[in-house]
Amino acid sequence: MIDITNLTIESAHDALKKRDYTVAELCDAYLAVIKERNADINAYLEVFDDVMEQAEKAQAKFADGTATILTGIPLAIKDNMLIKGKKVTAASKILENYVASYTATAVENLIKQGVVFLGRTNMDEFAMGSSVQTSAYGVTRNPLDRERVPGGSSGGSSAAVAMHGALAALGSETCGSIRQPAACTGLVGFKPTYGSVSRSGLIAMANSLDQICPLSRTVADAEIIHNALASCDPLDGTTVPMEQRIAKPRAKTMKIAVPSDVLKGDGMDKEVHDAFLKSFDVFKQLGYEIVPMEFPLLPYSLAVYYVVMPSELATNLERLDGIRYGYHASGTKSLFDFYSKTRGEGFGTESRRRIVLGMHALLHDGKYYRQATKLRAAITKELDHAFESVDFYITPTAPTLPFKIGEKMNDPVAMYYSDVFSAPANLSGCPAIALPTGMTPEGLPTSVQITAPRWEDENLFAIGKEFERIV
Ligand code: GLN
């Protein structure tokens, strides 16, 4: 029996190299958990039928000496990344039965190394949400407390890893969709600098914010996966050439900023605030000084996000008109009737809400979008300025503990608030990491988020590893 509960990529790799077990046996161990728990948790929408074929290919790499640290590692993949020949739906009815015609570049980078993808995971429809409750394929339960949400939108991926149904997983971020699910399930979630990882083959939500990201049990695992995902891709003009991925030179200060209003605990659960304050001890043990700092513009981040994101999203979702591909309504009387029924029936409530919001924001020659873009630049400047005197800034990852299934579904604004601490990193392109800090007395996970300047991703891995050693 393989003890998969304590595996890391490195320990699994060592065992595979020493032939303690085969890739097929390792995959079997995860498939057994999925078989036992997925009907209840609904982390996976589909378990791939070629897992054993993938395992065989990976095993051959060990035999011929081309294996890397990721060869044979069983991962879950969010249902918004394309693998040629496999179904991909973004958890929407409008893409039900859609089969990918090519493979996402970042995913291909992993496939080349012999990663085994076990199956595709549930998510909020088109990655809109913080709880997987907007999926057209049912809610995903949190394996730590099945009455609660696993976070979102990459909640199927976080649940898959938390239930030991995968060693780690791929998810995506537009605003917090890796970090908040990581926080809800006691995992590590890493959002890289924008431009690190190709978005080609990631079903677009909002292009100027989207990134493919790892979700894992340890910081080292997140680092290994991220480094394999990252590449400069001619198919995504926003990926930055590898030699230009250089942070602005600056002296190390051993200081970490905390926004003053966050320090006070405004708008967050008491347990979240307590755990956040307690995490300062760890940073202090690591030699850092915690400094309160005023960020006058940061509180506008979420509002800016809710103009920028829907504008880009509404534009992206225009292509789903029922004619080119995806679901199409039948028995319609006119072209208008066809469009309206196809999109009305194919998209869920949240998608329709955001399409309307986005179209509105783009009215009058993009008046609102332009205004939001200006504020986005000002927020980025504010963060850049702060990073002249501190190494990082920290906040809780999310303002609340994982909430109950059903909660916030009738209050979209309360749901949107889940990303209040996520938005600045996505708007500014900065990297950020969510790290588990422990459990509340009732057994719910807490999490701290560390944000660094653009292209200082490695510094986040370094501090993250030190933090998890002590916490
Ligand atoms: N909670 C965010 C939203 O609803 C999630 C976006 C994301 O990161 N995919 O927009």
Side-chain angles (χ1 to χ4, degrees), residues 11-69:
S11 65
H13 174 70
D14 285 346
L16 290 170
K17 218 166 52 185
K18 286 193 286 174
R19 308 284 198 269
D20 289 350
Y21 42 76
T22 63
V23 176
E25 283 163 346
L26 179 62
C27 293
D28 261 336
Y30 285 102
L31 291 174
V33 174
I34 298 170
K35 201 165 168 202
E36 190 189 317
R37 300 207 64 190
N38 199 54
D40 178 44
I41 301 293
N42 197 28
Y44 285 95
L45 293 176
E46 179 187 357
V47 177
F48 295 140
D49 57 10
D50 64 348
V51 171
M52 284 303 140
E53 261 169 65
Q54 295 182 56
E56 245 172 67
K57 277 194 198 152
Q59 195 64 52
K61 285 180 165 289
F62 281 98
D64 69 17
T66 57
T68 71
I69 183 120

Side-chain angles (χ1 to χ4, degrees), residues 127-130 153 173-177 205 305-306 354 419:
M128 290 175 236
S130 303
S153 63
E173 273 241 4
T174 305
C175 181
S177 275
M205 179 177 175
Y305 170 70
Y306 271 95
R354 294 200 197 187
D419 291 312

Side-chain angles (χ1 to χ4, degrees), residues 302-343:
L302 198 58
V304 170
Y305 170 70
Y306 271 95
V307 176
V308 173
M309 172 273 297
S311 305
E312 297 184 15
L313 173 132
T315 313
N316 280 319
L317 295 188
E318 262 180 38
R319 66 175 73 102
L320 290 161
D321 56 6
I323 290 176
R324 284 166 254 205
Y325 50 88
Y327 173 81
H328 42 262
S330 48
T332 52
K333 294 184 204 70
S334 63
L335 188 61
F336 181 81
D337 194 29
F338 173 78
Y339 281 147
S340 121
K341 283 220 174 83
T342 294
R343 288 169 66 83

